[in-house]
Amino acid sequence: MSEHFSFSFAGDDMEDEGQSPPVAPNISAPAQPQPAAGAFPVAGKPLLPATSHDLKHMLSQLPSKIAYGALDVELDDGEKIQLPRRELWDVRVQLMAEDDGGDTEPGLGNHDVRTGVYEGGFKSWESSVDLVKFLWLSKAFLVDVNVSPRFIELGCGTALPSLALFQWSLSFRAHNESSSLYLVLADYNPTVLQLVTLPNFILCWALHQRARSPILDNAFSSEGELDLTPEVLNAFEEFLETRNISLSFFSGAWSAEFVDLVNPNKVHTTGSERKRQTVILGAETIYSPFALSAFTQTVLSIMKRERACGDSAEALVAAKKLYFGVGGSLDDFVFKARELGAEIEHLREETEGVRRGMVRCRLP
């Protein structure tokens, strides 16, 4: 198998689409990202073990400021939203400032994916926007007083679907002591979680709360940057706690150990009469046979754990109809999931540009 490849499809890499033009960078204080490793079995390359990451520690490793842009998403009903994202060039600047003479961080070069090294998390992919569009049409469950929703985004990268859910919850979800929202963000590469996933959530919160907080308003600059002062980071933590929003971060290979970390095998209680509903999200996660098999087994294992706890679960999977040259396809996922006993419902198909689709996966 080739060590690296590029999908080379128009619109795949949405790195610059819909964002503000870059401004002159200010070098940020260094963070200490962990080394990247491979996501799927590759001869001679070890798997990175499943690991849970403490939010407080991750916050302590952030740079002093981050630059950002916004991705414009036009929804199916004509509504338009903006999802803030850390600029990729800002990530490069941070890593250059930390450079110790080693190799360039995987994912910041010319390849979309480097099998066994980097799994595409620094970039935003078309199917993640497809998930955002679908979730918008069914966002009513965010305000359902009888449900404690939990979203698990596998292969999250820039986490556009989870960011959208987080953004909508800030606007639509009632604030009360018994209302909870759980967001689980999982990416193979811990550097992706540290450098883009967490910063994107901070940006989303800060922009939403800016008008209500002088601390946040003063932290924004006219150059499209946000100062990550101790006061800002403390306010972020306090906000999550006050609103009963849980952000959990996991890295490493999809495996039985990964499922144990994300879904401990014990009866879950929400502390109220609300029923927990888990939705697993996956966009562009099945681009190779290795990825497809590991992803499918992980999805079904999580759903079985939820059922054993008396809770409901389903998966929303969006992907290209075919990944040329690497062997994965949405049809292959459907076949594999049904082979393992799941029920599949086709939700939507995109025919503009590269053909893409989305399915819902449930246990019978």
Side-chain angles (χ1 to χ4, degrees), residues 278-349:
T278 294
V279 180
I280 304 165
L281 305 172
E284 310 279 9
T285 52
I286 56 173
Y287 54 82
S288 74
F290 289 132
L292 188 149
S293 178
F295 175 78
T296 308
Q297 292 180 35
T298 297
V299 165
L300 265 68
S301 294
I302 293 174
M303 291 196 296
K304 289 175 181 177
R305 289 281 183 92
E306 288 297 290
R307 170 176 285 185
C309 293
D311 296 317
S312 63
E314 65 179 33
L316 301 175
V317 180
K320 291 181 175 62
K321 299 292 285 185
L322 178 66
Y323 292 89
F324 294 98
V326 288
S329 75
L330 185 59
D331 288 342
D332 287 342
F333 169 76
V334 169
F335 177 84
K336 180 69 172 177
R338 284 175 171 161
E339 186 179 55
L340 295 175
E343 295 180 344
I344 298 293
E345 176 188 358
H346 290 269
L347 298 176
R348 64 186 290 150
E349 184 168 335

Side-chain angles (χ1 to χ4, degrees), residues 128-268:
S128 62
V129 174
D130 296 338
L131 269 177
V132 170
K133 292 179 178 180
F134 179 80
L135 290 168
W136 171 258
L137 298 177
S138 54
K139 65 184 182 300
F141 64 86
L142 281 173
V143 297
D144 188 340
V145 296
N146 299 311
V147 174
S148 287
R150 183 173 75 138
F151 299 92
I152 304 174
E153 187 171 354
L154 300 178
C156 64
T158 57
L160 297 185
S162 295
L163 274 179
L165 290 164
F166 181 61
Q167 185 182 87
W168 299 333
S169 73
L170 300 183
S171 299
F172 305 139
R173 193 168 177 82
H175 175 212
N176 61 69
E177 292 183 358
S178 60
S179 175
S180 300
L181 174 65
Y182 303 89
L183 293 169
V184 177
L185 292 311
D187 194 277
Y188 183 78
N189 298 92
T191 47
V192 169
L193 297 173
Q194 181 68 53
L195 294 171
V196 295
T197 312
L198 176 57
N200 286 354
F201 276 90
I202 296 173
L203 285 166
C204 191
W205 159 77
L207 287 165
H208 187 273
Q209 298 295 117
R210 179 177 184 176
R212 304 172 181 86
S213 170
I215 291 176
L216 288 176
D217 192 46
N218 292 332
F220 281 98
S221 74
S222 58
E223 290 79 23
E225 294 179 329
L226 173 65
D227 288 329
L228 299 180
T229 64
E231 293 78 14
V232 168
L233 298 181
N234 287 338
F236 178 65
E237 280 193 284
E238 291 173 3
F239 180 87
L240 294 178
E241 183 176 357
T242 301
R243 296 289 289 265
N244 292 324
I245 298 174
S246 170
L247 294 182
S248 304
F249 297 87
F250 299 91
S251 65
W254 295 323
S255 60
E257 294 76 17
F258 176 86
V259 174
D260 287 340
L261 271 182
V262 172
N263 248 39
N265 193 15
K266 59 184 179 182
V267 176
H268 175 83

